């Protein structure tokens, strides 16, 4: 064949792939959308995803998958074996957040649940994990219907408790890679409003941040609000501590290094005329580099203890790191390799290159088991609203906002098309070729 004929056929094949990928998604879309609406209206908190897991497991079983439930609490593993070839994993999260939905959508959540501390909280899929589950179901159905386009083993994971950074570890402890085939590559995606629906973004290398959750308890001495002389006021110590913690990023760490230190909650006191005997602060800490992470955690410890000492507190505060995860590292060669199938499926203009983001994720635990990973950003914003916000110099509500409302139809369509494109490509490679992608997570 001549070179120009080859090129002509290739371009024709790409155009066909693009049209056919959208068309074939239409065939499975009604099931995906129905699951999305149901899940969005009935979210469940981290570690309590029993109905969610059951709904997804039932549908995957109906699509022909061999499904095992309760792998690490509510986790699910669904396998579809299709001859010899590599094992490729696709992961979705199952959990929602303690957020009261204010989107006004007809299918908005009105769910209330008790959280692990026994408080009544409103629950919402404010992180878009319902989009991920719907996409995974559409992908599962499409892959099952087109077994002639790939070979090997497709492994779908429904992971609980991502928001509390505990579900991936629980699944690993429960044997996700020992009771089931260990994948040669793992992929996942996350929807967000930073990109219009219909588009995806590839971030080679560092994808997101190291995350650490820190709980600080400051011990004072309680008493009458009108008699401060007989007390050591933990609220005043907390206030000073909060402000001093802001100097870590601004004064201690080298300018240009990525550091976030956020105090996300303050709990102290019951009544205006009582000085309480303790105050609790909840922090989230984000970094890119292992040495910066160490420096910031040490500074939090030092500042907290010094502020309490400065106020004459007789008991040292407790500084407890209670959750944490390492950053997700997209193997750069694997990320670049997947660009071609994504462009062929979604159109070249719809695949862009992103830069690292600050939210975190426990997908890194799977990669740290020696599985090369790729994590894709999926556009979720209504394209018109996205443009209007950009023109006005503002931003659409982010994940975790009570107003987070992805443009579900194009986002889920694109999610399915992107997942199918990546999975088919990887499942047509040999395990030996896939093993050249290292699973190394740098600097942690
Ligand atoms: Zn989230
Ligand atoms: Zn999320």
């Amino acid at each position: 064949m001549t070179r120009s004929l080859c090129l002509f056929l290739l371009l024709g094949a790409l155009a066909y792939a693009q049209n056919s990928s959208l068309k074939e998604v239409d065939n499975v879309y009604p099931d995906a959308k129905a699951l999305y609406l149901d899940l969005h209206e009935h979210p469940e908190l981290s570690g309590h995803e029993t109905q969610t897991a059951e709904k997804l497991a039932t549908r995957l079983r109906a699509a022909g998958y061999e499904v095992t439930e309760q792998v690490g609490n509510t986790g699910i593993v669904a396998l579809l074996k299709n001859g010899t070839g590599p094992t490729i994993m696709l992961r979705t999260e199952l959990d929602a957040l303690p957020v009261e939905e204010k989107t006004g959508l007809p299918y908005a959540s009105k769910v209330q649940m008790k959280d692990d501390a026994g408080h009544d909280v409103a629950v919402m899929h404010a992180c878009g994990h319902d989009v991920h589950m719907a996409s995974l179901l559409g992908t599962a159905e499409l892959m099952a219907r087109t077994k002639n386009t790939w070979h090997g083993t497709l492994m779908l994971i429904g992971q609980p408790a991502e928001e509390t950074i505990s579900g991936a570890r629980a699944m690993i402890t429960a044997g996700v890679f020992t009771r089931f085939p260990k994948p040669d590559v793992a992929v996942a995606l996350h929807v967000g409003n930073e990109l219009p629906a219909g588009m995806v973004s590839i971030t080679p290398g560092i994808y997101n941040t190291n995350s650490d959750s820190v709980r600080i308890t400051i011990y004072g001495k309680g008493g009458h609000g009108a008699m401060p002389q007989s007390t050591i006021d933990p609220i005043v110590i907390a206030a000073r501590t909060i402000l001093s913690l802001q100097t870590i990023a601004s004064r201690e760490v080298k300018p240009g290094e990525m550091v976030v230190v956020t105090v996300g909650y303050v709990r102290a006191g019951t009544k205006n005329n009582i000085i309480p005997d303790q105050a609790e602060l909840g922090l989230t800490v984000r970094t890119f580099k292992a040495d910066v992470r160490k420096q910031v955690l040490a500074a939090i410890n030092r500042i907290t203890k010094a502020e309490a000492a400065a106020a004459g507190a007789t008991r040292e505060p407790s500084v407890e790191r209670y959750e944490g995860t390492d950053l997700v590292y997209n193997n750069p060669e694997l990320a670049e390799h997947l660009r071609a199938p994504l462009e062929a499926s979604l159109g070249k203009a719809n695949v862009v290159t992103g830069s690292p983001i600050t939210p975190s994720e426990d997908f890194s635990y799977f990669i740290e088991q020696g599985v090369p990973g790729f994590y894709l950003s999926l556009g979720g914003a209504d394209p018109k609203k996205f443009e209007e916000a950009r023109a006005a110099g503002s931003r659409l509500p982010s994940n975790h906002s009570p107003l987070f409302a992805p443009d579900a139809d194009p986002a889920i369509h694109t999610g399915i098309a992107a997942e199918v494109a990546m999975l088919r490509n990887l499942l047509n490679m040999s395990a030996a070729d896939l093993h050249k992608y290292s699973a190394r997570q740098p600097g942690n």
Side-chain angles (χ1 to χ4, degrees), residues 93-404:
E93 317 88 323
L94 303 174
D95 54 340
L97 285 160
V99 171
E100 186 181 350
E101 178 155 2
K102 294 179 183 163
T103 59
L105 289 167
Y107 51 91
S109 161
K110 295 180 191 71
V111 170
Q112 297 268 335
M113 277 177 88
K114 282 215 186 299
D115 69 11
D116 288 338
H119 304 120
D120 285 309
V121 290
V123 189
M124 173 188 175
H125 266 298
C127 204
H129 297 175
D130 46 358
V131 171
H132 307 168
M133 287 184 267
S135 300
L136 179 132
L137 176 66
T139 298
E141 290 188 358
L142 197 44
M143 294 298 283
R145 290 181 195 183
T146 56
K147 282 167 97 173
N148 57 329
T149 63
W150 59 278
H151 51 86
T153 300
L154 178 54
M155 180 182 195
L156 306 176
I157 300 280
Q159 182 209 306
E162 183 280 324
E163 295 290 356
T164 51
I165 306 287
S166 53
R169 202 194 310 240
M171 290 193 81
I172 291 162
T173 308
V176 69
F177 293 157
T178 50
R179 287 166 58 194
F180 307 94
K182 187 171 177 180
D184 297 294
V185 168
V187 295
L189 54 70
H190 209 297
V191 68
N193 268 345
E194 291 69 40
L195 201 64
M199 298 182 72
V200 297
S201 132
I202 294 173
T203 306
I206 292 175
Y207 173 76
N208 66 2
T209 54
N210 298 307
S211 166
D212 295 284
S213 299
V214 179
R215 187 184 296 120
I216 293 173
T217 310
I218 294 162
Y219 301 101
K221 186 178 164 202
H224 200 295
M227 298 172 67
Q229 72 278 19
S230 66
T231 73
I232 296 168
D233 188 343
I235 292 183
V236 174
I237 303 174
R240 280 203 295 249
T241 304
I242 292 165
L243 289 179
S244 296
L245 291 174
Q246 301 314 310
T247 63
I248 299 173
S250 67
R251 302 289 82 188
E252 292 198 31
V253 174
K254 187 179 166 201
E257 296 288 2
M258 210 299 287
V259 180
V260 175
V261 178
T262 291
V263 179
Y265 73 81
V266 182
R267 281 193 197 122
T270 52
K271 194 171 183 302
N272 64 317
N273 64 354
I274 300 171
I275 292 172
D277 62 358
Q278 64 181 63
E280 187 180 305
L281 310 178
L283 279 64
T284 192
V285 179
R286 307 296 164 108
T287 50
F288 283 150
K289 290 186 184 161
D291 57 339
V292 175
R293 183 185 202 178
K294 212 169 147 194
Q295 181 191 5
V296 171
L297 291 173
I300 290 169
N301 198 41
R302 190 194 76 240
I303 288 170
T304 303
K305 289 183 175 163
E307 287 293 356
T314 49
R315 183 172 164 195
E316 198 171 66
S318 88
V319 180
E320 178 199 352
R321 178 182 173 274
Y322 66 96
E323 279 170 359
T325 186
D326 298 339
L327 60 85
V328 173
Y329 185 71
N330 277 335
N331 179 293
E333 294 81 30
L334 178 59
E336 284 311 329
H337 170 83
L338 288 170
R339 190 182 292 274
L342 286 167
E343 286 181 350
S345 173
L346 306 175
K348 204 169 168 134
N350 290 323
V351 182
V352 296
T353 299
S355 46
I357 58 167
T358 48
S360 306
E361 221 335 317
D362 61 359
F363 186 65
S364 49
Y365 286 112
F366 296 119
I367 301 176
E368 283 166 355
Q369 297 301 304
V371 179
F374 177 65
Y375 202 95
L376 183 74
S377 291
L378 175 68
D382 177 323
K384 193 161 162 272
K385 289 185 189 154
F386 183 82
E387 265 321 305
E388 284 166 3
R390 187 148 71 172
S394 64
R395 284 172 178 275
L396 293 175
S398 68
N399 300 62
H400 293 204
S401 158
L403 299 173
F404 182 68

